[in-house]
Amino acid sequence: MQITVLKHRNKISFFSKIKRYKNQIFLCLFLFVISVFFIINSSKYSSILIDGILLYGTKILPGLFPFFFITKIMSSFDILFSFCGHFKFLTKLLFNTPAISFYIFFMSIISGYPMGAKLTTEFYEKGLITKTDAEKILSFCSTSGPMFVIGTVGAGFLKSTTLGLLIFAVHIISSIINGIIFSRIKNKNIETENKAIISPKKTQINTNTLSLEEIMYSTIKSVLIVGGYIVLFYVLIEVLLDLNIFYPLIKLLTLLGLNNLEAMGIISGIVEITKGLSILNNSQNIKLVFILTNGLISFSGISILIQSLTFINKIKINKKLFLLQKITHSIISSAISYLISFIIF
């Protein structure tokens, strides 16, 4: 009788483990299928992998590396806090955030993704902002940069620097509107710790002891993380397209009036923005491309969302809130683009 009971318990334990780890089992099977598919078509995906590396190395890295390096040094200087103090009234009025958020916003729109998330995390760790401040700041400081929007998208994909400038202007305006909206949403779990914002006097750093080696190491580590995600998702999208994983979604979008190319561009852009925009650029409907491009850039894509989460996981913010902020940013940007499209096209 005891043996029977023990066997019964073991069976229950086995099935309970399967239930507990079902997500991991599914993910392992999914990755196994992709790995086999990658091996079978290794020559094709190796070529795509090289394309992804070249895209990152020639289009994104040149604008990312110097800004990551410069901001790492600037964030250690006392003058930063004095400079931001002049914008205290403005940031408080618009976003209900500390003055340092102006610096994060400025560097975010200059450097692009994921600089806003990186700086927000760094200043939180220094005690300059609270968790609640960080959640508000991310609603308007998670933006793309001019080198990507104006250079890669405007001049490169759309063959128009003017359109690139317009897309960038819409992107920034919509981020400000997004920040204003989320600054008015009350947080039920207001953080009580680290309430006092450190003053410039308390943040004085001896720049003589500033290690250039540490700054270089931090910069290289950050750009490699970003590059790894971009290349990974660049190849992953192609594999998923070949496996027809996106077929139901593409079919749904075609039923809504889009052609197959536009639908594929949207789905790919939701996963990895650069890949999606390169596909979408082949559409002949320039008005639609303009609207969708603004929406996708503001959403940023799953690849960049994961990059940002890599940095902000240290803050332990509400990930659902961050995703909602990116969705609303995309909606606002698309709506403004739709209104503008009647004027310029």
Side-chain angles (χ1 to χ4, degrees), residues 309-325:
L309 288 173
T310 301
F311 293 108
I312 63 179
N313 271 336
K314 298 177 182 179
I315 307 178
K316 301 186 185 303
I317 69 163
N318 188 332
K319 294 180 178 62
K320 291 181 180 179
L321 175 62
F322 180 61
L323 178 60
L324 177 62
Q325 290 171 346

Side-chain angles (χ1 to χ4, degrees), residues 259-320:
N259 60 42
N260 192 66
L261 181 70
E262 293 162 351
M264 192 181 299
I266 293 173
I267 300 300
S268 299
I270 290 174
V271 179
E272 206 287 307
I273 185 173
T274 310
K275 180 74 171 179
L277 293 179
S278 64
I279 295 173
L280 198 61
N281 178 59
N282 295 313
S283 173
Q284 300 301 314
N285 189 342
I286 186 64
K287 180 178 179 179
L288 181 64
V289 170
F290 175 74
I291 297 169
L292 294 177
T293 296
N294 270 300
L296 288 174
I297 289 175
S298 295
F299 178 69
S300 75
I302 294 173
S303 173
I304 291 176
L305 288 177
I306 294 177
Q307 292 172 37
S308 299
L309 288 173
T310 301
F311 293 108
I312 63 179
N313 271 336
K314 298 177 182 179
I315 307 178
K316 301 186 185 303
I317 69 163
N318 188 332
K319 294 180 178 62
K320 291 181 180 179

Side-chain angles (χ1 to χ4, degrees), residues 93-268:
L93 176 66
L94 293 177
F95 312 117
N96 194 26
T97 55
I100 196 68
S101 62
F102 176 82
Y103 171 75
I104 301 174
F105 175 69
F106 177 75
M107 293 311 303
S108 178
I109 64 176
I110 293 297
S111 309
Y113 301 120
M115 180 58 72
K118 183 176 182 293
L119 288 176
T120 301
T121 301
E122 287 182 1
F123 289 134
Y124 172 79
E125 290 180 325
K126 291 179 180 179
L128 298 175
I129 57 175
T130 66
K131 180 179 177 180
T132 302
D133 292 330
E135 290 181 340
K136 291 179 181 178
I137 289 169
L138 287 170
S139 67
F140 63 94
C141 290
S142 179
T143 64
S144 188
M147 288 196 71
F148 177 74
V149 178
I150 301 172
T152 304
V153 178
F157 291 157
L158 300 176
K159 310 298 181 186
S160 173
T161 304
T162 303
L163 275 181
L165 285 166
L166 185 58
I167 291 172
F168 186 64
V170 171
H171 178 62
I172 300 306
I173 292 170
S174 60
S175 72
I176 294 173
I177 295 173
N178 198 48
I180 293 172
I181 292 172
F182 279 94
S183 69
R184 303 301 185 266
I185 297 176
K186 293 184 178 180
N187 193 330
K188 293 181 180 179
N189 301 312
I190 298 294
E191 185 181 19
T192 56
E193 57 182 341
N194 293 331
K195 272 295 180 183
I197 303 300
I198 299 176
S199 65
K201 293 181 180 179
K202 294 181 181 180
T203 59
Q204 289 180 354
I205 295 173
N206 185 358
T207 55
N208 293 324
T209 63
L210 198 63
S211 173
L212 187 63
E213 183 180 347
E214 290 179 4
I215 294 172
M216 183 63 72
Y217 174 78
S218 175
T219 302
I220 292 174
K221 180 183 175 181
S222 297
V223 296
L224 284 177
I225 290 173
V226 172
Y229 278 119
I230 290 175
V231 175
L232 172 66
F233 280 90
Y234 194 88
V235 178
L236 183 61
I237 288 173
E238 199 67 32
V239 176
L240 294 177
L241 287 172
D242 289 344
L243 287 172
N244 289 320
I245 299 294
F246 296 137
Y247 178 77
L249 293 174
I250 292 175
K251 190 65 177 177
L252 176 62
L253 290 175
T254 54
L255 292 174
L256 294 175
L258 300 176
N259 60 42
N260 192 66
L261 181 70
E262 293 162 351
M264 192 181 299
I266 293 173
I267 300 300
S268 299

